Amino acid sequence: MAGCRAVEELIARDAGRYRVTIFGAEPHVHYNRIMLSPVLAGEKTFDQIVINDRAWYDDNAVDLILSDPVEAIDRGAKTVTARSGRVVGYDRLLIATGSDPFIIPVPGHTLDGVISFRDMADVSRMIAAADAGGEAVVIGGGLLGLEAAHGLSLRGMKVTVIHLMPTLMERQLDEAAGWLLKSALEARGQTILTGADTAEIVGETCVEGVRLKDGRLIPASLVVMAVGIRPCVWLAKEAGLAVGRGIHVDDHMVTSDPAILAVGECVEHDGQVYGLVAPLWDMCRALADGLTERHTGYRGSVTSTKLKVSGIDVFSAGDFSGGQGAQDIVLRDASRGVYKRVIVRDDRIVGAVLYGDTGDGGWYFDLMKRGEDISTVRDMLIFGQAFALGGGQTDPKAAVAALSDNAEICGCNGVSKGKVVACIGGGAVTLDAVRGSCKASASCGSCTNVVENLLALTLGDDYGGERAVKTMCKCTSFGHDDVRREIVAQGMRSIPEVMQKLHWSTPDGCSSCRPALNYYLLCALPGEYVDDQQSRFVNERMHANIQKDGTYSVVPRMWGGVTNPRELRAIADVVEKYDAPLVKVTGGQRLDIFGIKKQDLPAVWADLNAAGMVSGHAYGKSLRTVKTCVGSDWCRFGTQDSTGLGIQTERMTWGSWMPHKFKIAVSGCPRNCAEATIKDFGVICVDSGYELHVGGNGGIHVRVTDLLCKVETEAEAMHYCAAFIQLYREEARYLERTAPWIERVGLERIKARIVEDAEGRDALAARFLHSQTFCQDDPWAARAKGAESEQHQPLSLMETA
Amino acid sequence: MTADRWIDVGRIEDIPPRGARTVVVEGGDEIAVFRAGDDAVFALINRCPHKGGPLSQGIVHGHSVACPLHNWNIALATGLAQGPDSGCTPTILVRVEDGRILIAPPQPVPA
Ligand SMILES: Cc1cc2nc3c(=O)[nH]c(=O)nc-3n(C[C@H](O)[C@H](O)[C@H](O)COP(=O)(O)OP(=O)(O)OC[C@H]3O[C@@H](n4cnc5c(N)ncnc54)[C@H](O)[C@@H]3O)c2cc1C
Ligand code: SF4
Ligand code: FES
C-alpha cells in the first residue's frame, strides 16, 4: 500500500518529474489491504477495495509489472532484477515490501490448510474453505486473528480462536475491555480459548485439527495463523543496506544508500517499526516532499487502532499501560456494555481504551496527539466531547435539577425523575428507602449518584447524604452484601465480569476488593470458578505464613491434634535439615516450624508430604484446626469420644475456604479442656449427646459462644456443623469472623436457618459437602511436585561488579 | 549512565499479570520486578518503607502494591507510600524491549 501511495503523492506534487516502474509480487493492482477483512466477511467485494484501476497507471505513465517480485538489487549498476529475469535500471529506488506474516514453526505448520491472513490470495483460500463448510481454528487473538475469525464465522464456519495470552488483543486492550470483547464474541458463537498454547497441527497431508499443550484437540479443516508480522527486509539486507528490525531510514525515508528509499511496514524509523496504515500516510508525504525538494521530514507517528468487526466497537490509542505518574479515569456502564478508560499523565492524555461506545475515540486521540492540557475539562472528560465541551452542567445537582420530570433515572426499573421525587416526598428519605419503595437504583446501581443528588435536591439540608450501606472499598459504590447478591443473581463468573457489571471505578480493583471477590466467586461456583492467585494475600498464595522478617512458618496438619512418631520424626528432620530456628506448639495443638525461606518451601513440603502430612491451612481464610481433648478413651470424666469426633470433623471440613479463619474444638465433657466455647464452632459432649456452640472468638475481642442447640448423635453434630459452616460461607462478609457476623445478624436468625428449618439445613450441608469435593486437595503436594515453581524462584540472579 | 548497565533479567511472561518476581542481587538489596494488569513493568527494592515487608509478595492493583505485612500501599512508579502513610522505597530503572525486561541496578557507590 505504501509503495503506490508514495507514487500517488509524488504524482500529485510533480507529475512529470520521474518515470516510474512498479514491481508487485501479487497479481492484483493496488488495493486497500485493510479492507480484506470486510471482503472476507462478505461486506465488500474485491473490486470495491481497489484503489486505482489499471487505467490510472496508464494515464499517469506508470509501468506496472505484476506477479513478478524483485529478487535482487545491484547498487553498483543501479538495477533491479525480477524473478522473470527482467532487469530495470533506476536513479532512485523505493522499497516498500511490507511485512511477512509470522508462522509459528510448530509440527504440522506446513500442512495443506494452514494459511496466514495477509493478501487477497489468503482471503480467496479462506472463502473456498468456508464454502466447503467445517471447522476453523484461528491462532492468535489480536486484531487480525479476530477479524479473520469474524469473517469465517459469518461465512458459516464453526470457529475457535486460540490465544496464548490471558486476554484478547492484549497489546491494544486492558483486561476489562478484553473481557468484554471475549464475552461479545462468545455470544456470537465463537469459541475463545485464552491462555492456550498450540503444541502441534495434526493431519496427514491436510489439516485435521490443532492440539494444545494441555492435550486438548480441536478438530479443524482450516487453520489461520495470525500471530504477528515481520518486516520483509531480506531484499534490502542482501543488497547490503543497513537493517535492524526494519530497513533503517532517516527523516526523509532515505536508507543507508542515498539512492534508495524505503517506506511502510518494512522500515525502521527512529527505532520504531509500524504495523498500521496511518504512519504510512505520514511517511509517504515526507518521502514525496523529499523527492520534490521540499524536505518536511517525518517525525514518527502515534497510532490508534479499531477492530473492524461489525457491531463490536473497540478503540485503543497510545499507551494504555500508563507508566510513571499516570492516572486512570474509568467509566463502566454495564447495561449498555460500555467501558471507557482514559489514561492521563501531567494533565495530558497519554492513552485511551474504549469499548462499546467509541464515538469519542477520535477526540481523545486528537487531544493526545496535540498534547493538550485537559485540566479544565478533566471532571467531564470521560463523558465525551459533547458533554465536556458542550457546556455540560458542571454542578451535578444543577444537571439533575434541569432534568424534566419524565426523564428516566433508573433504566433497569424504568423509574422517572418524577416518580423518584414523589417517592422521596412520600417519606423515603434514604437511598435504601428509595430503593425499597420505587426500586430506583436497586438493580445495577449505576444511577445511584443521580438518585442521591435527587435526595439532596429534594430534601435540602435534611438529607444527611450518608449511604446506609458501607461500600466494599473505594472502587465501588456497592456494599459486600449487594455484591454477593448480585454475583448470584446475575450469574457472574469472573472478577472482570463483576467489575464491569457493577461499575467498578478502577481498572483492576484494590487489595481490599479483589480477595473478597475471589472468595465470593469461589463460594458461589464450586468446582467451576478458577481461583485467581493474584487476588490472594501472600499467605494463601504461598501456602505458608509470612513472618516479620519475610521468612515463612509451616504448620502441617495433625488431625484432631493427634500425631505419631513418623510425623514427629519428619518434623524434626525438617527442622534440622532447613535450619529452622524455632519449633513451637500452637494454641490449636499443632507444631509450627518457623524461619523457612521462600525458596525452600517446596522441599519442606515434599519432606512433610512424604511422611503423610498435608497443609494445615494455618495461613488461610479457611478451616484451621479442630482442637480436641482426650475424651472418654482416657479421661476419667469424658462422656464421649471427643478426639474421634474432632478427627472426623477435621476430615470433613479441611481445605474449605471461608470468609475468615475458622476454628473448631470438641471437648469431652463440660470441663471443656479443648476450650470449645471460644471457637467458631464448638462441641461439648455431655451424657445425653452433644451441645453445639457457635460464634466464639479468642481474638482481640474475646467472645464466648452462643448455644445453638443440642443434638443426640455424632452424625447430627457433623451435619449441623456442615450446615453452619455453609451458612457462614454464603452469608458473612469477607474478613468477618463468625463472632461479629452473629452479632450483626442475630443468633435467632441463625437458629431459624439451622435448627428450625430441617430442609434448609439439609440443603446447606449438602452444598457444603458438594463444594468440599473440589477443595480437599493438598496445595502443598502440587507445589512440591513443581507446580508454580516460579512462585518460589527468583526471576534472576545478579552479581554486582 | 551507559547503555551496558542494562541487564536482561527475563521475559515479561515470566511474571504473572498483577504479580511480581524478585531479582536476587549478590551483595546488594533484592529487587522486586512487578508486572501490572496492563503489562506496565516496574522495579523497586523489595522492601517496604514501613517495616521492611517484601513488597514482591503483596497484591498488585492498578500501579500500586499493597505490602503483605501491614497493607501499606506503595506506588510502583515512585516507590512512595500512599495515603496517610509516608516513606519511600527506592525505585530501579526498568524498561521492556522485545518482551525482555531490562533493569539498570544502582551502581555501588565508590568508596
Ligand atoms: C487483513 C488485514 C487487515 C488490516 N487492517 C488494518 C486496519 O484496520 N488498520 C490499519 O491501520 N492497518 C491494518 N492492516 C495493516 C495494513 O494493511 C498494513 O499496515 C499496510 O498494508 C502496510 O503497507 P505496506 O505498503 O508497508 O505493506 P503492504 O501493503 O503489505 O505492501 C507490500 C507489497 O509489497 C509486495 N512485495 C513484497 N516483496 C516484494 C518484492 N520483492 N517485489 C515486489 N513486490 C513485493 C507484497 O506482495 C505487497 O503487495 C491490516 C492488514 C491486513 C492484512
Ligand atoms: S473436657 Fe472433660 S473429657 Fe475432655 S479432657 Fe477435659 S475433663 Fe476430660
Ligand atoms: S512492612 Fe510494609 S506495611 Fe508494614
Side-chain angles (χ1 to χ4, degrees), chain A residues 446-607:
Chain A
S446 60
C447 57
T448 304
N449 286 334
V450 188
V451 173
E452 288 209 303
N453 283 328
L454 279 175
L455 278 161
L457 207 65
T458 319
L459 300 173
D461 289 344
D462 289 344
Y463 180 58
E466 267 133 273
R467 228 167 259 186
V469 180
K470 213 168 140 256
T471 67
M472 208 163 141
C473 66
K474 62 175 176 19
C475 309
T476 174
S477 56
F478 285 99
H480 280 269
D481 300 337
D482 298 332
V483 172
R484 293 207 83 162
R485 190 192 60 234
E486 291 304 318
I487 286 176
V488 176
Q490 300 190 37
M492 298 185 218
R493 307 194 107 65
S494 70
I495 291 178
E497 179 175 9
V498 176
M499 291 184 173
Q500 174 64 20
K501 292 206 168 140
L502 300 182
H503 312 271
W504 244 244
S505 62
T506 47
D508 58 4
C510 70
S511 58
S512 300
C513 56
R514 286 225 319 266
L517 293 182
N518 190 49
Y519 168 72
Y520 293 154
L521 287 160
L522 201 69
C523 177
L525 302 164
E528 194 181 319
Y529 174 70
V530 186
D531 192 55
D532 179 26
Q533 284 287 303
Q534 304 313 329
S535 297
R536 284 195 175 266
F537 290 117
V538 56
N539 286 351
E540 292 179 350
R541 196 174 338 113
M542 299 304 291
H543 304 302
N545 288 22
I546 196 165
Q547 302 297 336
K548 64 187 269 190
D549 63 353
T551 63
Y552 290 81
S553 81
V554 169
V555 186
R557 197 168 282 289
M558 286 177 178
W559 306 97
V562 176
T563 182
N564 59 39
R566 198 159 78 109
E567 293 180 348
L568 290 171
R569 214 170 276 128
I571 292 177
D573 287 345
V574 161
V575 172
E576 258 176 15
K577 187 164 158 195
Y578 299 95
D579 244 347
L582 178 74
V583 197
K584 180 163 185 330
V585 179
T586 69
Q589 299 177 332
R590 307 294 185 266
L591 285 171
D592 196 349
I593 311 165
F594 282 85
I596 302 291
K597 294 187 200 72
K598 183 172 74 174
Q599 60 272 28
D600 289 339
L601 286 171
V604 166
W605 296 334
D607 288 357

Side-chain angles (χ1 to χ4, degrees), chain A residues 628-640 642 666-675 684-685:
Chain A
T628 59
C629 71
V630 291
S632 56
D633 271 9
W634 295 84
C635 179
R636 61 202 163 100
F637 300 109
T639 59
Q640 313 274 3
S642 52
V666 187
S667 284
C669 81
R671 286 176 182 75
N672 190 16
C673 293
E675 296 162 344
I684 307 261
C685 306

Side-chain angles (χ1 to χ4, degrees), chain A residues 8 30 53 68 122 128 189 240 336 346 411 416 432 509 522 644 659 679 746:
Chain A
E8 283 172 33
H30 178 203
D53 59 13
D68 197 8
D122 294 328
R336 287 196 303 141
D346 300 331
S416 66
D432 267 0
L522 201 69
K679 295 291 181 280

Side-chain angles (χ1 to χ4, degrees), chain A residues 693-717:
Chain A
H693 293 255
V694 294
N697 186 344
I700 301 177
H701 305 290
V702 180
R703 182 179 193 274
V704 174
T705 46
D706 294 306
L707 177 65
L708 182 69
C709 62
K710 219 185 113 197
V711 295
E712 280 167 21
T713 64
E714 274 193 353
E716 281 173 299

Side-chain angles (χ1 to χ4, degrees), chain A residues 56-70:
Chain A
W56 181 89
Y57 296 88
D58 296 341
D59 293 347
N60 289 288
V62 173
D63 265 339
L64 181 63
I65 300 165
L66 294 175
S67 302
D68 197 8
V70 170

Side-chain angles (χ1 to χ4, degrees), chain A residues 175 320-321 323-324 341 508-511 514-515 534 536 538 541-542 546 552 598 790 793-798 800, chain B residues 9 14 16-19 21-26 35 38 40 54 57-63 66 68 71 77 103 105:
Chain A
E175 197 192 17
F320 68 86
S321 68
Q324 188 126 13
R341 176 163 162 235
D508 58 4
C510 70
S511 58
R514 286 225 319 266
Q534 304 313 329
R536 284 195 175 266
V538 56
R541 196 174 338 113
M542 299 304 291
I546 196 165
Y552 290 81
K598 183 172 74 174
E790 71 284 353
Q793 299 297 324
L795 181 60
S796 90
L797 296 166
M798 190 184 291
T800 45
Chain B
V9 292
D14 294 337
R18 277 170 265 97
R21 300 278 301 276
T22 56
V23 173
V24 177
V25 181
E26 291 196 24
R35 173 179 177 191
D38 56 17
Q57 299 301 319
I59 290 184
V60 176
H61 52 99
H63 288 176
N71 213 27
I103 65 177

Side-chain angles (χ1 to χ4, degrees), chain A residues 1-2 25-26 33-34 70 96 98 118 144 264-265 277 280 308:
Chain A
M1 289 179 71
E26 291 181 61
R33 189 174 308 285
I34 75 174
V70 170
R118 181 74 199 172
L144 214 54
E265 277 182 352
V277 292
L280 311 184
K308 301 189 300 300

